[in-house]
Amino acid sequence: MPSKVSSSSKDGNSPKISEATVSRLPAYYRALSQLADAAQVRVSSEELAALTGVSSAMLRKDLSHLGSYGTRGVGYEVEFLRYQISREMGLNNDWSVVIVGVGNLGRALAHYGGFGSRGFRVVALVDADQTLIGTKVKCGAEGKTVELLVHALSDLEDVIKETNARLGVVATPAESAQVVSDRLVKAGIRSILNFAPVHLSVPEGVDVRKVDLASELQILAFHEQRKAV
Amino acid sequence: MPSKVSSSSKDGNSPKISEATVSRLPAYYRALSQLADAAQVRVSSEELAALTGVSSAMLRKDLSHLGSYGTRGVGYEVEFLRYQISREMGLNNDWSVVIVGVGNLGRALAHYGGFGSRGFRVVALVDADQTLIGTKVKCGAEGKTVELLVHALSDLEDVIKETNARLGVVATPAESAQVVSDRLVKAGIRSILNFAPVHLSVPEGVDVRKVDLASELQILAFHEQRKAV
DNA sequence: ACACATTTGTGCAAAAAAGCACAAATCCTC
DNA sequence: GAGGATTTGTGCTTTTTTGCACAAATGTGT
Ligand SMILES: NC(=O)c1ccc[n+]([C@@H]2O[C@H](COP(=O)([O-])OP(=O)(O)OC[C@H]3O[C@@H](n4cnc5c(N)ncnc54)[C@H](O)[C@@H]3O)[C@@H](O)[C@H]2O)c1
Ligand SMILES: NC(=O)c1ccc[n+]([C@@H]2O[C@H](COP(=O)([O-])OP(=O)(O)OC[C@H]3O[C@@H](n4cnc5c(N)ncnc54)[C@H](O)[C@@H]3O)[C@@H](O)[C@H]2O)c1
């Protein structure tokens, strides 16, 4: 897994769903959404597993941690199961996202339309580049396009407070990532998605997930190298 | 972990490095490069572990799978260890990458300069959009900028043959991803990095790593939701 | 109402990964 | 060159994750 949650264990009373399971729930959700779009009513563990690339046994065990939402001899109701996963994952809530670093990647993320359909909304863009600050960037894809102003890094705390952002995306160069992360945390952000290829140190209670594209290619290269000549 | 290798186990005679270890090697490599840039000669497992966010014991065990490259009581030589990792991972070779889908994300990847410094070179861009085909896209960042022509999807096989590309990146919409993947495989590609939020079915021997940005946000949201109110 | 075909949910076993602790190796000082 | 301070490499333990197999539950057909 090219990325891991770092800190935070957090358990109050919830039955504790394993990290491995959590990391697969989004794929199930996505597949169920697809089936729902195709107006399919029911799905078996076998079918859903094939769609998501896991074994049917693993799928069933994963789902069993959420509750007993299937019917033996029949399968799962697509819409019902989809709803249960979305509820468990908090996708009903509206998640506000602030993106710091509006370069190649930050802009691509802002333009992307696929987040909105899943409860995520980019509400603020922040950069340190004077030539970018004050410019407008189109956010979201067809239909729901919004123009967002690029804010100055110095306004980070205010922007977060005003927009109530709870998720932070770091898309700055590696050198600035730790500083940006520190400021995000200080401003109250406790969930960070980091694209900079550095490890971010954050206090207990803050989650960081790292997406490292270069690492992914390197891992592929490693295996490629080992394949028969 | 936002991504996993799907198929391929592959073992000829190599001592078999665990998948978990392989997934961490790029981070070690990156940190060592940083230290080398800062002209640091030696590093302890403790220090390197802190830089990469793992425990020192895990780091040592990971490295021990490559060989015994440290010196007890002293630590590791930065340059030497870096070289050993790069050799093990095949980063000395030059890896040619073809990107299919030159939209928001594909373009951001093409523009990105960080790949070149690690043995990866984007050698071809392919898209299905008639208005894009034939246009030129700047590839790589400052210094080593190259303009690449966007090729037609119908030329995919030829382009791969001519450029000798061995790594394929799928950055098309989800609907097209499986078709594109099939064609990449048929053209001889056996390592694919997939950004489309769908599971790709590939034959035995082909590796797919999936990077699903929306999933990452969802996983963060899941944990965020569980944090104290 | 009963036998039979399906498909889930789950206890248990196996495998993989992470963590611990310490002996072995090296360096430094005197 | 002996003793003490470090720091690696690794056997062993614990935890996490995956896989297997089957009983329990449901639907169907007669
Ligand atoms: N573009 C890619 O395909 C790609 C691939 C792999 C990794 N990455 C990583 O993602 C990150 C962003 O990549 P990119 O290609 O968008 O880079 P980029 O240089 O295009 O954009 C970086 C942006 O961050 C801004 N910035 C710099 N310092 C800042 C600070 N302290 N606060 C706020 N903003 C700041 C810059 O002004 C710039 O707009 C980098 O860390 C890069 O290594 C990118
Ligand atoms: N942009 C993001 O930040 C982001 C985030 C998460 C996921 N993704 C995923 O990454 C993929 C690409 O995203 P994007 O934002 O770049 O989309 P995009 O629509 O901007 O670009 C997609 C490109 O693929 C091309 N294309 C379509 N069908 C094709 C085919 N059969 N063969 C070759 N090219 C084809 C299109 O012409 C277009 O240029 C999508 O699957 C998207 O869900 C993107």
Side-chain angles (χ1 to χ4, degrees):
Chain A
M1 332 171 206
S3 47
K4 282 285 156 55
V5 163
S6 67
S7 72
S8 153
S9 49
K10 211 35 50 196
D11 57 328
N13 42 6
S14 30
K16 193 168 56 175
I17 301 179
S18 89
E19 198 53 42
T21 294
V22 172
S23 73
R24 285 186 293 265
L25 290 181
Y28 303 153
Y29 177 81
R30 143 82 49 173
L32 287 166
S33 299
Q34 240 174 268
L35 291 173
D37 288 347
Q40 185 169 331
V41 176
R42 273 201 285 262
V43 67
S44 70
S45 63
E46 202 68 51
E47 187 181 1
L48 191 52
L51 279 172
T52 49
V54 302
S55 76
S56 65
M58 197 155 85
L59 171 66
R60 288 199 299 278
K61 189 167 285 183
D62 281 344
L63 294 182
S64 76
H65 293 133
L66 309 187
S68 195
Y69 296 137
T71 311
R72 297 178 184 210
V74 181
Y76 302 88
E77 302 265 338
V78 172
E79 271 297 1
F80 181 64
L81 183 57
R82 186 173 93 102
Y83 171 75
Q84 291 302 335
I85 293 180
S86 85
R87 190 181 49 76
E88 184 71 39
M89 300 210 68
L91 303 181
N92 296 326
N93 312 20
D94 218 52
W95 295 100
S96 298
V97 180
V98 53
I99 297 179
V100 185
V102 193
N104 290 321
L105 197 57
R107 201 171 287 116
L109 292 169
H111 284 153
Y112 183 52
F115 294 138
S117 58
R118 243 161 277 155
F120 298 100
R121 209 171 62 225
V122 178
V123 294
L125 303 176
V126 176
D127 203 293
D129 187 343
Q130 283 298 335
T131 67
L132 277 176
I133 297 169
T135 63
K136 283 180 180 172
V137 171
K138 254 189 283 183
C139 257
E142 332 82 54
K144 281 195 171 179
T145 332
V146 185
E147 291 225 320
L148 279 183
L149 207 65
V150 177
H151 291 271
L153 185 59
S154 52
D155 296 340
L156 183 63
E157 287 77 7
D158 292 337
V159 167
I160 290 174
K161 216 168 287 178
E162 276 167 34
T163 58
N164 244 315
R166 294 183 65 185
L167 272 41
V169 173
V170 176
T172 66
E175 307 84 68
S176 330
Q178 183 63 60
V179 182
V180 167
S181 165
D182 291 345
R183 291 191 57 176
L184 284 171
V185 171
K186 207 179 289 181
I189 296 284
R190 290 195 295 174
S191 297
I192 295 176
L193 184 54
N194 175 34
F195 287 93
V198 280
H199 170 74
L200 295 181
S201 299
V202 293
E204 179 90 20
V206 177
D207 284 336
V208 176
R209 288 189 68 87
K210 180 174 157 191
V211 175
D212 192 334
L213 282 349
S215 288
E216 298 299 327
L217 285 181
Q218 288 179 30
I219 295 167
L220 283 175
F222 172 83
H223 292 295
E224 179 75 19
Q225 191 187 34
R226 300 218 154 181
K227 289 177 185 166
V229 198
Chain B
M1 24 230 119
S3 45
K4 282 286 155 50
V5 163
S6 68
S7 72
S8 154
S9 47
K10 207 41 43 199
D11 56 330
N13 42 5
S14 31
K16 194 169 54 177
I17 300 178
S18 91
E19 197 54 41
T21 295
V22 171
S23 74
R24 285 187 293 263
L25 291 181
Y28 303 153
Y29 178 82
R30 144 83 46 174
L32 287 166
S33 300
Q34 241 174 267
L35 292 173
D37 288 348
Q40 185 169 331
V41 176
R42 273 199 286 262
V43 67
S44 70
S45 64
E46 203 68 52
E47 187 180 1
L48 190 52
L51 280 172
T52 50
V54 303
S55 76
S56 65
M58 196 155 88
L59 171 67
R60 288 198 300 276
K61 188 168 285 183
D62 280 344
L63 294 183
S64 76
H65 292 133
L66 308 188
S68 195
Y69 297 137
T71 311
R72 298 179 185 208
V74 180
Y76 302 89
E77 301 264 337
V78 172
E79 271 298 1
F80 181 64
L81 183 57
R82 186 174 93 102
Y83 171 75
Q84 291 301 337
I85 293 180
S86 85
R87 192 182 48 77
E88 185 71 38
M89 300 210 69
L91 303 181
N92 296 327
N93 311 21
D94 219 52
W95 295 99
S96 299
V97 180
V98 53
I99 298 179
V100 185
V102 192
N104 289 322
L105 198 56
R107 199 170 289 116
L109 291 169
H111 284 154
Y112 184 51
F115 294 137
S117 59
R118 243 160 277 156
F120 299 100
R121 209 171 62 225
V122 177
V123 294
L125 304 175
V126 176
D127 204 294
D129 187 343
Q130 283 298 336
T131 66
L132 276 177
I133 297 170
T135 63
K136 284 182 179 169
V137 172
K138 254 188 284 183
C139 256
E142 333 81 56
K144 283 195 171 179
T145 331
V146 185
E147 291 225 321
L148 278 183
L149 207 64
V150 177
H151 291 272
L153 185 59
S154 53
D155 296 339
L156 182 62
E157 288 77 6
D158 292 337
V159 168
I160 290 175
K161 215 168 288 176
E162 276 168 34
T163 58
N164 244 314
R166 294 183 65 183
L167 271 41
V169 172
V170 176
T172 67
E175 308 83 69
S176 329
Q178 183 64 59
V179 182
V180 167
S181 165
D182 291 345
R183 292 191 57 178
L184 284 171
V185 171
K186 207 179 289 178
I189 296 285
R190 290 195 294 173
S191 296
I192 295 176
L193 184 55
N194 175 34
F195 287 94
V198 280
H199 171 74
L200 296 181
S201 299
V202 293
E204 178 89 20
V206 178
D207 283 336
V208 177
R209 289 189 69 88
K210 180 174 158 192
V211 175
D212 192 334
L213 282 349
S215 287
E216 298 299 326
L217 285 181
Q218 286 178 32
I219 295 167
L220 283 175
F222 173 84
H223 293 295
E224 178 76 19
Q225 192 187 33
R226 299 217 155 181
K227 290 176 184 167
V229 199

